Amino acid sequence: MALVLVTGATGYIGGQLVPELLRRGHTVRVLTRHTSGLTGQPWSGQVDVVEGDASRAADCRRALDGVETAFYLLHSMDGRGEFRRRDRAMAQTFADAAADAGIARVVYLSGLHPDGDLSDHLASRVEVGQVFLDGPTPAVVLQAGVVLGNGSASFDMLRHLTERLPAMVAPRWVDNRIQPVAVADVVHYLAGAAELPARTNRTFDIGGPEVLTYAQMMQRYAEIVGLLPRRIISVPVLTPRLAGLWVEVVTPISAGIARPLVGSLVHEAVCQEDDVLDAIGPPPQGRTGFADAIRAAVADLEPHRWIRTLARTSAVVGTAAVAGSLLTTPDSQWYRRLDKPAWQPPPAAFPTVWTLLYATTAVATARSSAELAEAGHPARSRQLEQALAANMVLNVGWTALFFRGHRPWPAAVECAVLTASSADLARRAGATGRGKAAGIGLYAGWCLFATALTGSIARRNSRR
């Protein structure tokens, strides 16, 4: 077999394509910006590595020297803006280098799309594919919809939305039809593209055997992994931008990826032809059905992790909230006689604010803890939940010292410690995203306000 080049080998698809190419007897070279990104890959010692950037012509020429087929699995969807321009320019640089090197074929993975105007994400994929199809080097452009596999951004969004939201008001696009495809099938078609007849220059649609709406995929996912049925109501008022923000808040997917993905879901993604089944052939065991693809994708995951984590953090915070409520006596004679500052909020504000902040803290901590555990940091996950428990003990202790112990100064000191603990909790949760830190930061800010208020009350009444 000839030498093949894989770009994007540190990505999800590329990381699975390399061992399949090796299994088929190819000699594999990878182009990567940082060789450290290959650390941990079991195949890293079996490939030739060229360190370089695909946006630089000289690096592309070095990587393509002696290559027969090049797999282009790159994109610039990183949240930095102008990714369409950057994608197009990088693809043109690579296509020119491929032509100069005289390679036999470029293989590119694009997206299923309808005719007409497209979202920026899909339009960029189509534009890149066209760059290769219009070039002098024959190109095979495979067009896939939602790829089902652990690590695929589209699958991660699907599963996190399903696992975390038992009921949701969703954008109208959840009723659009999609033909998802298992990652194993995608890898099969990509590897097979290297063996197509010479001069093949065209697109191929690839998909699984079933066509489902996004809402149906969520319901099927819940059923397969043992979650309760999901209640999904679609409405026309959520724009792609708002929906992208919603996905960013609910899931661990960054805005730079979530928003383009959501923007693409306004289009139906269904195969318009199945020529690939004749040209390359179906996978050895036939096209993978949705249920089997989901079972393979979650084999190393815990679909119930989120709900169990939320149950733990909610129990801790809920216990503290109930205990604090029972200990608080704003109607007691002692409290009514205290001299209080004019800037103290009205009594009705306290239960409302505390309830909202307790809920925010429980959810933000659960999100961060679950994501730390899933990312392979169970110790940090446990430490975060332990920090939450300690914080809630301090929270109850402050209430007890003030309202039951009638000791404003010790309560103020204890509340200062609570504030420091809350800030530390926000710092720990922020390891998985600034949104979690901001949510708990609101709680820390309120604790700081409570410290100032308690200290003011202690100072005003120490002279009496």
Side-chain angles (χ1 to χ4, degrees):
M1 287 286 188
L3 174 65
V4 300
L5 172 69
V6 177
T7 64
T10 57
Y12 176 62
I13 299 292
Q16 298 197 49
L17 175 61
V18 169
E20 175 62 15
L21 292 170
L22 291 170
R23 187 189 68 80
R24 294 188 181 209
H26 291 284
T27 301
V28 179
R29 175 183 294 161
V30 301
L31 172 63
T32 179
R33 283 180 292 182
H34 306 288
T35 55
S36 59
L38 302 176
T39 303
Q41 290 285 11
W43 44 259
S44 60
Q46 304 174 56
V47 300
D48 177 30
V49 180
V50 173
E51 191 171 58
D53 192 325
S55 64
R56 298 192 185 106
D59 291 345
C60 291
R61 286 193 292 269
R62 281 194 299 116
L64 288 163
D65 184 38
V67 165
E68 180 172 296
T69 297
F71 293 89
Y72 189 84
L73 304 174
L74 302 173
H75 63 77
S76 303
M77 198 170 66
D78 51 15
R80 285 167 41 203
E82 293 191 321
F83 68 86
R84 284 181 65 174
R85 178 190 61 76
R86 290 185 287 130
D87 268 344
R88 194 164 51 245
M90 185 164 62
Q92 190 63 61
T93 297
F94 193 87
D96 292 344
D100 291 343
I103 74 171
R105 173 176 292 123
V106 173
V107 180
Y108 172 61
L109 181 61
S110 183
L112 280 176
H113 61 276
D115 297 328
D117 293 335
L118 298 174
S119 69
D120 281 346
H121 172 219
L122 278 180
S124 178
R125 293 296 176 94
V126 173
E127 289 167 357
V128 168
Q130 202 60 49
V131 166
F132 292 123
L133 292 170
D134 290 344
T137 304
V140 174
V141 177
L142 301 177
Q143 302 181 144
V146 171
V147 177
L148 302 175
N150 178 21
S152 160
S154 53
F155 169 74
D156 288 345
M157 188 172 84
L158 171 72
R159 81 175 185 89
H160 283 300
L161 286 175
T162 307
E163 291 172 6
R164 297 185 177 191
L165 296 176
M168 68 197 81
V169 175
R172 179 87 30 105
W173 52 252
V174 297
D175 297 322
N176 286 349
R177 297 182 308 145
I178 296 170
Q179 192 166 352
V181 59
V183 65
D185 292 8
V186 174
V187 170
H188 164 78
Y189 295 128
L190 281 169
E195 300 161 16
L196 284 170
R199 310 310 301 173
T200 301
N201 189 71
R202 58 162 295 181
T203 63
F204 289 96
D205 291 352
I206 59 175
E210 298 164 77
V211 176
L212 305 163
T213 68
Y214 202 89
Q216 288 173 332
M217 288 198 297
M218 295 176 73
Q219 295 287 17
R220 290 280 303 278
Y221 178 89
E223 177 186 357
I224 292 164
V225 303
L227 299 172
L228 294 174
R230 269 35 194 162
R231 177 68 173 168
I232 305 169
I233 301 173
S234 62
V235 296
V237 296
L238 283 175
T239 65
R241 183 176 180 83
L242 287 175
L245 178 61
W246 167 65
V247 170
E248 182 188 5
V249 169
V250 173
T251 76
I253 299 172
S254 67
I257 295 176
R259 291 176 186 172
L261 281 180
V262 168
S264 298
L265 290 172
V266 302
H267 308 295
E268 294 202 329
V270 180
C271 293
Q272 299 181 45
E273 45 83 10
D274 57 7
D275 296 351
V276 73
L277 298 178
D278 294 323
I280 295 177
Q285 305 303 319
R287 291 189 295 174
T288 307
F290 184 82
D292 287 339
I294 293 298
R295 292 188 187 101
V298 302
D300 296 322
L301 300 174
E302 294 185 30
H304 295 81
R305 186 195 303 276
W306 160 250
I307 191 64
R308 289 170 180 163
T309 306
L310 180 61
R312 288 196 302 271
T313 60
S314 297
V316 170
V317 174
T319 299
V322 171
S325 178
L326 293 174
L327 290 169
T328 302
T329 56
D331 295 328
S332 68
Q333 186 178 19
W334 174 81
Y335 183 74
R336 289 199 305 269
R337 290 173 57 188
L338 288 175
D339 180 18
K340 307 175 190 69
W343 47 270
Q344 175 173 302
F350 290 97
T352 301
V353 173
W354 277 116
T355 299
L356 290 173
L357 292 175
Y358 279 142
T360 299
T361 299
V363 171
T365 306
R367 286 187 60 195
S368 185
S369 179
E371 289 164 24
L372 283 169
E374 190 164 289
H377 305 293
R380 291 171 64 188
S381 173
R382 286 192 302 271
Q383 291 164 3
L384 175 61
E385 293 189 35
Q386 290 165 358
L388 174 68
N391 180 273
M392 289 298 127
V393 169
L394 289 168
N395 190 303
V396 174
W398 162 62
T399 306
L401 278 172
F402 185 84
F403 284 100
R404 295 305 176 102
H406 300 170
R407 303 178 65 188
W409 275 120
V413 173
E414 209 267 11
C415 197
V417 176
L418 169 64
T419 300
S421 169
S422 302
D424 177 67
L425 187 66
R427 177 189 63 81
R428 292 173 183 269
T432 60
R434 290 178 294 179
K436 289 98 162 175
I440 300 177
L442 293 173
Y443 167 66
W446 183 254
C447 290
L448 179 62
F449 172 77
T451 301
L453 179 59
T454 307
S456 177
I457 291 174
R459 187 169 55 253
R460 284 170 169 271
N461 291 273
S462 61
R463 312 187 198 98
R464 296 174 61 181

